[in-house]
């Protein structure tokens, strides 16, 4: 991805869509395509609790990125940096955030849940982008999806799966930031519903604090019961904590 530095303004500039020419159509008219890059990333895959979140981001116009806003892999940023960058991205890009509940992950499995979330967010951001460009014919628009990770399914769109794409591609980095911030905010809210688990600190991941809370309290309604560490807690404790009441198994 391209990044330019303006010496005068000392702010980074992220260019908008790329233009390129294609062949003539059946009537002999030269079509100049407008090409948009859409970055997609998923967060929460390894978490023991809470939904999977997906982010999709498209820079549809040239954006001047001020100092203090950092667009790189969300895992490489502090919480304050992610919050600041997410606020900027939500104001200056076209984006979609999608979630897949833990119940769905448990019911259909992580792989199918990931595919479901990916296809859903592609469909949603495509609809939003196309609706925002009513003056252009569909044949004059090309959407190119850049997706973090290994290929997991076939997609009937121009796309590219990129391993470690969140550290290589600007649009994927942006998607990782908005998705990570949205998910962290949800888990912090849920920590007020289930204060004994410390979701505000580990956002569902398998830390020692989380492990100790599970051993003491059992599981709650947002834990992923299909995950091996959670199944082990259920079998060892023989108790689940669901909807604020203890249920003996």
């Amino acid at each position: 991805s391209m990044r330019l530095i303006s010496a005068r303004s000392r702010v980074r500039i992220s260019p908008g869509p790329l233009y390129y020419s294609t062949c003539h159509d059946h009537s002999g008219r030269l079509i100049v395509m407008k090409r948009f890059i859409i970055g997609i990333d998923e967060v929460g895959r390894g978490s023991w609790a809470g939904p999977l979140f997906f982010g999709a981001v498209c820079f549809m116009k040239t954006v001047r990125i001020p100092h203090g806003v950092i667009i790189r892999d969300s895992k490489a940023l502090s919480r304050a940096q992610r919050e600041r960058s997410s606020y900027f991205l939500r104001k200056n890009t076209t984006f979609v955030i999608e979630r897949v509940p833990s119940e769905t992950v448990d019911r259909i499995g992580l792989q199918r849940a990931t595919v479901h979330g990916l296809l859903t967010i592609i469909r949603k951001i495509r609809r939003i982008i196309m609706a925002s460009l009513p003056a252009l014919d569909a044949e004059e628009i090309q959407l190119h999806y850049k997706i973090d990770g290994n290929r997991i399914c076939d997609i009937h769109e121009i796309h590219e799966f990129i391993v470690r794409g969140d550290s290589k591609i600007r649009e994927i980095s942006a998607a990782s930031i908005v998705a990570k911030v949205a998910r962290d905010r949800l888990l912090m809210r849920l920590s007020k519903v289930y204060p004994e688990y410390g979701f505000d600190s580990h956002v569902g991941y398998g830390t020692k604090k989380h492990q100790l809370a599970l051993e003491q309290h059992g599981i709650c309604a947002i834990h992923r019961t299909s995950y091996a560490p959670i199944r082990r807690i259920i079998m060892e404790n023989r108790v689940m904590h669901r909807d604020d009441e203890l249920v003996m198994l």
Side-chain angles (χ1 to χ4, degrees), residues 42-54 98-118 183 221-228 230-231 242:
E42 163 269 322
V43 296
R45 186 179 183 88
S47 177
W48 294 356
L52 289 172
F53 265 67
F54 296 80
E98 180 69 16
R99 71 172 78 173
V100 177
S102 54
E103 297 94 324
T104 302
V105 175
D106 290 334
R107 188 177 73 254
I108 67 176
L110 179 61
Q111 180 80 355
R112 290 177 62 193
T114 302
V115 171
H116 170 73
L118 176 59
R183 187 178 187 280
I222 66 169
H223 280 104
R224 299 178 186 172
T225 57
S226 59
Y227 277 36
I230 304 302
R231 287 203 309 270
R242 291 278 189 178

Short mmCIF file of all heavy atoms in Angstrom, two decimals, residues 42-54 98-118 183 221-228 230-231 242:
data_model
loop_
_atom_site.label_atom_id
_atom_site.label_comp_id
_atom_site.label_asym_id
_atom_site.label_seq_id
_atom_site.Cartn_x
_atom_site.Cartn_y
_atom_site.Cartn_z
N GLU A 42 -10.37 -10.14 11.01
CA GLU A 42 -11.20 -10.75 12.06
C GLU A 42 -10.43 -10.68 13.36
O GLU A 42 -9.20 -10.82 13.37
CB GLU A 42 -11.52 -12.20 11.67
CG GLU A 42 -12.01 -13.08 12.80
CD GLU A 42 -10.85 -13.79 13.48
OE1 GLU A 42 -9.91 -14.19 12.78
OE2 GLU A 42 -10.89 -13.90 14.72
N VAL A 43 -11.13 -10.46 14.47
CA VAL A 43 -10.50 -10.46 15.78
C VAL A 43 -11.32 -11.33 16.74
O VAL A 43 -12.53 -11.48 16.57
CB VAL A 43 -10.35 -9.03 16.37
CG1 VAL A 43 -9.42 -8.19 15.52
CG2 VAL A 43 -11.70 -8.35 16.51
N GLY A 44 -10.63 -11.90 17.70
CA GLY A 44 -11.30 -12.72 18.71
C GLY A 44 -11.29 -14.20 18.44
O GLY A 44 -11.93 -14.97 19.17
N ARG A 45 -10.55 -14.63 17.43
CA ARG A 45 -10.54 -16.05 17.08
C ARG A 45 -10.05 -16.93 18.24
O ARG A 45 -10.61 -17.98 18.51
CB ARG A 45 -9.65 -16.24 15.85
CG ARG A 45 -9.65 -17.65 15.29
CD ARG A 45 -8.75 -17.73 14.05
NE ARG A 45 -8.78 -19.06 13.45
CZ ARG A 45 -9.66 -19.45 12.54
NH1 ARG A 45 -10.59 -18.61 12.13
NH2 ARG A 45 -9.63 -20.67 12.04
N GLY A 46 -9.02 -16.48 18.94
CA GLY A 46 -8.46 -17.29 20.01
C GLY A 46 -9.07 -17.03 21.38
O GLY A 46 -8.67 -17.67 22.36
N SER A 47 -10.04 -16.14 21.44
CA SER A 47 -10.64 -15.81 22.72
C SER A 47 -11.52 -16.95 23.23
O SER A 47 -12.15 -17.65 22.44
CB SER A 47 -11.47 -14.53 22.57
OG SER A 47 -12.13 -14.22 23.78
N TRP A 48 -11.57 -17.11 24.54
CA TRP A 48 -12.41 -18.14 25.14
C TRP A 48 -13.86 -17.68 25.32
O TRP A 48 -14.72 -18.49 25.66
CB TRP A 48 -11.87 -18.53 26.52
CG TRP A 48 -10.54 -19.20 26.49
CD1 TRP A 48 -9.81 -19.57 25.38
CD2 TRP A 48 -9.78 -19.63 27.63
NE1 TRP A 48 -8.65 -20.18 25.76
CE2 TRP A 48 -8.60 -20.24 27.14
CE3 TRP A 48 -9.98 -19.54 29.00
CZ2 TRP A 48 -7.62 -20.75 27.98
CZ3 TRP A 48 -9.00 -20.07 29.85
CH2 TRP A 48 -7.84 -20.67 29.35
N ALA A 49 -14.12 -16.41 25.12
CA ALA A 49 -15.46 -15.88 25.39
C ALA A 49 -15.76 -14.71 24.46
O ALA A 49 -14.85 -14.04 23.97
CB ALA A 49 -15.57 -15.42 26.85
N GLY A 50 -17.05 -14.48 24.24
CA GLY A 50 -17.47 -13.34 23.43
C GLY A 50 -17.50 -13.65 21.95
O GLY A 50 -17.03 -14.68 21.49
N PRO A 51 -18.06 -12.73 21.17
CA PRO A 51 -18.22 -12.95 19.73
C PRO A 51 -16.91 -12.84 18.96
O PRO A 51 -15.93 -12.25 19.43
CB PRO A 51 -19.17 -11.81 19.30
CG PRO A 51 -19.67 -11.18 20.57
CD PRO A 51 -18.65 -11.46 21.61
N LEU A 52 -16.93 -13.41 17.75
CA LEU A 52 -15.95 -13.06 16.74
C LEU A 52 -16.36 -11.71 16.16
O LEU A 52 -17.55 -11.46 15.96
CB LEU A 52 -15.94 -14.08 15.60
CG LEU A 52 -15.39 -15.48 15.85
CD1 LEU A 52 -15.67 -16.35 14.62
CD2 LEU A 52 -13.91 -15.43 16.13
N PHE A 53 -15.40 -10.85 15.91
CA PHE A 53 -15.69 -9.58 15.26
C PHE A 53 -14.94 -9.50 13.93
O PHE A 53 -13.81 -9.98 13.82
CB PHE A 53 -15.26 -8.40 16.14
CG PHE A 53 -16.36 -7.84 17.00
CD1 PHE A 53 -16.89 -8.61 18.04
CD2 PHE A 53 -16.86 -6.57 16.79
CE1 PHE A 53 -17.90 -8.11 18.84
CE2 PHE A 53 -17.87 -6.07 17.60
CZ PHE A 53 -18.40 -6.83 18.62
N PHE A 54 -15.58 -8.90 12.93
CA PHE A 54 -14.98 -8.67 11.63
C PHE A 54 -15.05 -7.19 11.31
O PHE A 54 -16.06 -6.53 11.60
CB PHE A 54 -15.71 -9.45 10.54
CG PHE A 54 -15.62 -10.94 10.70
CD1 PHE A 54 -16.45 -11.60 11.60
CD2 PHE A 54 -14.71 -11.68 9.98
CE1 PHE A 54 -16.37 -12.97 11.77
CE2 PHE A 54 -14.61 -13.05 10.14
CZ PHE A 54 -15.44 -13.70 11.04
N GLU A 98 -18.94 -6.42 11.79
CA GLU A 98 -19.86 -7.55 11.89
C GLU A 98 -19.44 -8.43 13.05
O GLU A 98 -18.25 -8.57 13.34
CB GLU A 98 -19.84 -8.35 10.58
CG GLU A 98 -20.75 -9.55 10.54
CD GLU A 98 -22.22 -9.20 10.52
OE1 GLU A 98 -22.55 -8.03 10.23
OE2 GLU A 98 -23.05 -10.08 10.80
N ARG A 99 -20.40 -9.02 13.73
CA ARG A 99 -20.07 -9.93 14.82
C ARG A 99 -20.77 -11.27 14.63
O ARG A 99 -21.87 -11.35 14.06
CB ARG A 99 -20.45 -9.33 16.17
CG ARG A 99 -21.93 -9.25 16.43
CD ARG A 99 -22.24 -8.83 17.87
NE ARG A 99 -22.10 -7.40 18.09
CZ ARG A 99 -22.45 -6.79 19.21
NH1 ARG A 99 -22.92 -7.50 20.22
NH2 ARG A 99 -22.31 -5.49 19.34
N VAL A 100 -20.12 -12.33 15.10
CA VAL A 100 -20.70 -13.67 15.11
C VAL A 100 -20.71 -14.13 16.57
O VAL A 100 -19.65 -14.27 17.18
CB VAL A 100 -19.88 -14.65 14.25
CG1 VAL A 100 -20.48 -16.05 14.34
CG2 VAL A 100 -19.83 -14.18 12.80
N PRO A 101 -21.88 -14.35 17.17
CA PRO A 101 -21.97 -14.66 18.60
C PRO A 101 -21.26 -15.96 18.96
O PRO A 101 -21.08 -16.86 18.12
CB PRO A 101 -23.48 -14.77 18.85
CG PRO A 101 -24.12 -14.08 17.68
CD PRO A 101 -23.20 -14.26 16.53
N SER A 102 -20.88 -16.06 20.22
CA SER A 102 -20.22 -17.28 20.70
C SER A 102 -21.13 -18.50 20.53
O SER A 102 -20.64 -19.61 20.27
CB SER A 102 -19.81 -17.12 22.17
OG SER A 102 -20.92 -16.74 22.98
N GLU A 103 -22.44 -18.30 20.65
CA GLU A 103 -23.37 -19.43 20.46
C GLU A 103 -23.27 -20.00 19.05
O GLU A 103 -23.37 -21.22 18.86
CB GLU A 103 -24.81 -18.99 20.73
CG GLU A 103 -25.06 -18.53 22.15
CD GLU A 103 -24.92 -17.02 22.30
OE1 GLU A 103 -24.04 -16.42 21.62
OE2 GLU A 103 -25.67 -16.43 23.10
N THR A 104 -23.09 -19.11 18.06
CA THR A 104 -22.95 -19.57 16.68
C THR A 104 -21.64 -20.32 16.49
O THR A 104 -21.58 -21.34 15.80
CB THR A 104 -23.03 -18.37 15.71
OG1 THR A 104 -24.27 -17.69 15.91
CG2 THR A 104 -22.92 -18.83 14.26
N VAL A 105 -20.57 -19.80 17.10
CA VAL A 105 -19.27 -20.49 17.04
C VAL A 105 -19.41 -21.90 17.59
O VAL A 105 -18.90 -22.87 17.01
CB VAL A 105 -18.20 -19.70 17.81
CG1 VAL A 105 -16.88 -20.48 17.83
CG2 VAL A 105 -18.00 -18.32 17.18
N ASP A 106 -20.10 -22.03 18.72
CA ASP A 106 -20.27 -23.35 19.34
C ASP A 106 -21.15 -24.26 18.48
O ASP A 106 -20.91 -25.47 18.40
CB ASP A 106 -20.89 -23.21 20.73
CG ASP A 106 -19.93 -22.59 21.73
OD1 ASP A 106 -18.70 -22.71 21.53
OD2 ASP A 106 -20.40 -21.98 22.70
N ARG A 107 -22.16 -23.69 17.84
CA ARG A 107 -23.12 -24.50 17.10
C ARG A 107 -22.55 -25.02 15.78
O ARG A 107 -22.75 -26.20 15.42
CB ARG A 107 -24.40 -23.70 16.83
CG ARG A 107 -25.53 -24.55 16.23
CD ARG A 107 -26.80 -23.76 16.05
NE ARG A 107 -26.71 -22.81 14.94
CZ ARG A 107 -26.60 -21.50 15.09
NH1 ARG A 107 -26.57 -20.97 16.29
NH2 ARG A 107 -26.53 -20.71 14.03
N ILE A 108 -21.84 -24.17 15.04
CA ILE A 108 -21.39 -24.58 13.70
C ILE A 108 -19.88 -24.74 13.60
O ILE A 108 -19.38 -25.18 12.57
CB ILE A 108 -21.88 -23.58 12.63
CG1 ILE A 108 -21.22 -22.20 12.80
CG2 ILE A 108 -23.40 -23.46 12.67
CD1 ILE A 108 -21.61 -21.21 11.70
N GLY A 109 -19.16 -24.39 14.64
CA GLY A 109 -17.71 -24.53 14.63
C GLY A 109 -17.02 -23.24 14.21
O GLY A 109 -17.60 -22.40 13.51
N LEU A 110 -15.77 -23.10 14.63
CA LEU A 110 -15.02 -21.87 14.38
C LEU A 110 -14.81 -21.60 12.90
O LEU A 110 -14.96 -20.46 12.44
CB LEU A 110 -13.68 -21.92 15.11
CG LEU A 110 -12.75 -20.73 14.93
CD1 LEU A 110 -13.40 -19.45 15.44
CD2 LEU A 110 -11.42 -20.97 15.63
N GLN A 111 -14.46 -22.64 12.14
CA GLN A 111 -14.17 -22.45 10.71
C GLN A 111 -15.40 -21.95 9.96
O GLN A 111 -15.34 -20.96 9.22
CB GLN A 111 -13.68 -23.76 10.11
CG GLN A 111 -13.34 -23.70 8.62
CD GLN A 111 -11.98 -23.10 8.34
OE1 GLN A 111 -11.31 -22.64 9.25
NE2 GLN A 111 -11.58 -23.09 7.08
N ARG A 112 -16.53 -22.62 10.15
CA ARG A 112 -17.76 -22.21 9.45
C ARG A 112 -18.25 -20.85 9.95
O ARG A 112 -18.77 -20.06 9.17
CB ARG A 112 -18.85 -23.27 9.63
CG ARG A 112 -18.56 -24.56 8.88
CD ARG A 112 -19.63 -25.60 9.16
NE ARG A 112 -20.95 -25.14 8.71
CZ ARG A 112 -22.08 -25.74 9.05
NH1 ARG A 112 -22.07 -26.80 9.86
NH2 ARG A 112 -23.23 -25.28 8.61
N ALA A 113 -18.06 -20.58 11.23
CA ALA A 113 -18.45 -19.27 11.77
C ALA A 113 -17.61 -18.16 11.15
O ALA A 113 -18.11 -17.07 10.86
CB ALA A 113 -18.32 -19.26 13.29
N THR A 114 -16.32 -18.43 10.94
CA THR A 114 -15.44 -17.44 10.32
C THR A 114 -15.85 -17.19 8.88
O THR A 114 -15.91 -16.03 8.43
CB THR A 114 -13.98 -17.93 10.38
OG1 THR A 114 -13.61 -18.15 11.75
CG2 THR A 114 -13.04 -16.90 9.78
N VAL A 115 -16.14 -18.24 8.14
CA VAL A 115 -16.59 -18.09 6.75
C VAL A 115 -17.90 -17.30 6.70
O VAL A 115 -18.07 -16.40 5.87
CB VAL A 115 -16.76 -19.46 6.07
CG1 VAL A 115 -17.42 -19.31 4.71
CG2 VAL A 115 -15.41 -20.15 5.94
N HIS A 116 -18.82 -17.64 7.60
CA HIS A 116 -20.10 -16.94 7.65
C HIS A 116 -19.90 -15.44 7.89
O HIS A 116 -20.49 -14.60 7.21
CB HIS A 116 -20.97 -17.53 8.76
CG HIS A 116 -22.20 -16.73 9.06
ND1 HIS A 116 -23.30 -16.68 8.22
CD2 HIS A 116 -22.50 -15.91 10.12
CE1 HIS A 116 -24.21 -15.88 8.74
NE2 HIS A 116 -23.76 -15.41 9.88
N GLY A 117 -19.06 -15.09 8.87
CA GLY A 117 -18.81 -13.69 9.16
C GLY A 117 -18.15 -12.97 8.00
O GLY A 117 -18.49 -11.83 7.68
N LEU A 118 -17.21 -13.65 7.33
CA LEU A 118 -16.50 -13.05 6.20
C LEU A 118 -17.44 -12.78 5.04
O LEU A 118 -17.45 -11.67 4.48
CB LEU A 118 -15.38 -14.00 5.77
CG LEU A 118 -14.57 -13.59 4.53
CD1 LEU A 118 -13.91 -12.24 4.74
CD2 LEU A 118 -13.55 -14.66 4.19
N ARG A 183 -14.76 -4.74 19.53
CA ARG A 183 -14.87 -5.95 20.35
C ARG A 183 -14.45 -5.68 21.79
O ARG A 183 -15.10 -6.11 22.74
CB ARG A 183 -14.03 -7.08 19.75
CG ARG A 183 -14.24 -8.39 20.47
CD ARG A 183 -13.45 -9.53 19.85
NE ARG A 183 -13.85 -10.79 20.49
CZ ARG A 183 -13.39 -11.20 21.67
NH1 ARG A 183 -12.48 -10.48 22.33
NH2 ARG A 183 -13.83 -12.34 22.20
N ALA A 221 -22.54 -17.12 30.28
CA ALA A 221 -23.29 -17.28 29.04
C ALA A 221 -22.51 -16.95 27.79
O ALA A 221 -22.90 -17.37 26.69
CB ALA A 221 -24.56 -16.42 29.10
N ILE A 222 -21.42 -16.21 27.89
CA ILE A 222 -20.70 -15.82 26.67
C ILE A 222 -19.45 -16.68 26.44
O ILE A 222 -18.72 -16.44 25.47
CB ILE A 222 -20.31 -14.33 26.69
CG1 ILE A 222 -19.28 -14.02 27.79
CG2 ILE A 222 -21.54 -13.46 26.82
CD1 ILE A 222 -18.67 -12.63 27.66
N HIS A 223 -19.18 -17.66 27.29
CA HIS A 223 -18.03 -18.52 27.06
C HIS A 223 -18.31 -19.49 25.91
O HIS A 223 -19.45 -19.90 25.68
CB HIS A 223 -17.67 -19.30 28.33
CG HIS A 223 -16.88 -18.50 29.31
ND1 HIS A 223 -17.43 -17.97 30.46
CD2 HIS A 223 -15.58 -18.11 29.28
CE1 HIS A 223 -16.49 -17.29 31.11
NE2 HIS A 223 -15.36 -17.35 30.42
N ARG A 224 -17.25 -19.82 25.19
CA ARG A 224 -17.35 -20.71 24.03
C ARG A 224 -17.16 -22.15 24.50
O ARG A 224 -16.04 -22.62 24.68
CB ARG A 224 -16.30 -20.33 22.97
CG ARG A 224 -16.48 -18.92 22.45
CD ARG A 224 -15.39 -18.56 21.45
NE ARG A 224 -15.47 -17.15 21.06
CZ ARG A 224 -14.56 -16.53 20.32
NH1 ARG A 224 -13.51 -17.19 19.88
NH2 ARG A 224 -14.70 -15.24 20.03
N THR A 225 -18.27 -22.84 24.67
CA THR A 225 -18.23 -24.19 25.25
C THR A 225 -17.61 -25.21 24.31
O THR A 225 -17.29 -26.33 24.73
CB THR A 225 -19.64 -24.64 25.64
OG1 THR A 225 -20.49 -24.59 24.48
CG2 THR A 225 -20.22 -23.73 26.72
N SER A 226 -17.42 -24.86 23.03
CA SER A 226 -16.78 -25.78 22.10
C SER A 226 -15.27 -25.72 22.19
O SER A 226 -14.58 -26.56 21.60
CB SER A 226 -17.22 -25.46 20.66
OG SER A 226 -16.88 -24.12 20.32
N TYR A 227 -14.72 -24.75 22.91
CA TYR A 227 -13.27 -24.62 23.04
C TYR A 227 -12.77 -25.56 24.13
O TYR A 227 -13.36 -25.66 25.21
CB TYR A 227 -12.90 -23.17 23.38
CG TYR A 227 -12.81 -22.26 22.17
CD1 TYR A 227 -13.67 -22.40 21.10
CD2 TYR A 227 -11.86 -21.24 22.12
CE1 TYR A 227 -13.60 -21.57 20.01
CE2 TYR A 227 -11.77 -20.40 21.02
CZ TYR A 227 -12.65 -20.57 19.95
OH TYR A 227 -12.56 -19.75 18.86
N ALA A 228 -11.65 -26.22 23.86
CA ALA A 228 -11.13 -27.24 24.77
C ALA A 228 -10.91 -26.74 26.20
O ALA A 228 -11.28 -27.45 27.15
CB ALA A 228 -9.83 -27.82 24.20
N ILE A 230 -12.50 -24.51 27.88
CA ILE A 230 -13.80 -24.32 28.52
C ILE A 230 -14.46 -25.67 28.78
O ILE A 230 -15.06 -25.90 29.84
CB ILE A 230 -14.71 -23.41 27.66
CG1 ILE A 230 -14.02 -22.07 27.40
CG2 ILE A 230 -16.06 -23.22 28.34
CD1 ILE A 230 -13.64 -21.31 28.64
N ARG A 231 -14.36 -26.59 27.82
CA ARG A 231 -14.90 -27.94 28.03
C ARG A 231 -14.23 -28.60 29.23
O ARG A 231 -14.88 -29.28 30.03
CB ARG A 231 -14.68 -28.81 26.79
CG ARG A 231 -15.57 -28.45 25.61
CD ARG A 231 -15.73 -29.63 24.65
NE ARG A 231 -14.43 -30.20 24.28
CZ ARG A 231 -13.71 -29.80 23.22
NH1 ARG A 231 -14.17 -28.81 22.45
NH2 ARG A 231 -12.56 -30.37 22.92
N ARG A 242 -24.88 -19.80 34.15
CA ARG A 242 -25.61 -19.28 33.00
C ARG A 242 -26.70 -18.33 33.46
O ARG A 242 -27.54 -18.68 34.29
CB ARG A 242 -26.27 -20.42 32.22
CG ARG A 242 -25.28 -21.33 31.49
CD ARG A 242 -24.86 -20.72 30.17
NE ARG A 242 -24.09 -21.66 29.38
CZ ARG A 242 -23.62 -21.42 28.17
NH1 ARG A 242 -23.84 -20.24 27.61
NH2 ARG A 242 -22.94 -22.31 27.51
#
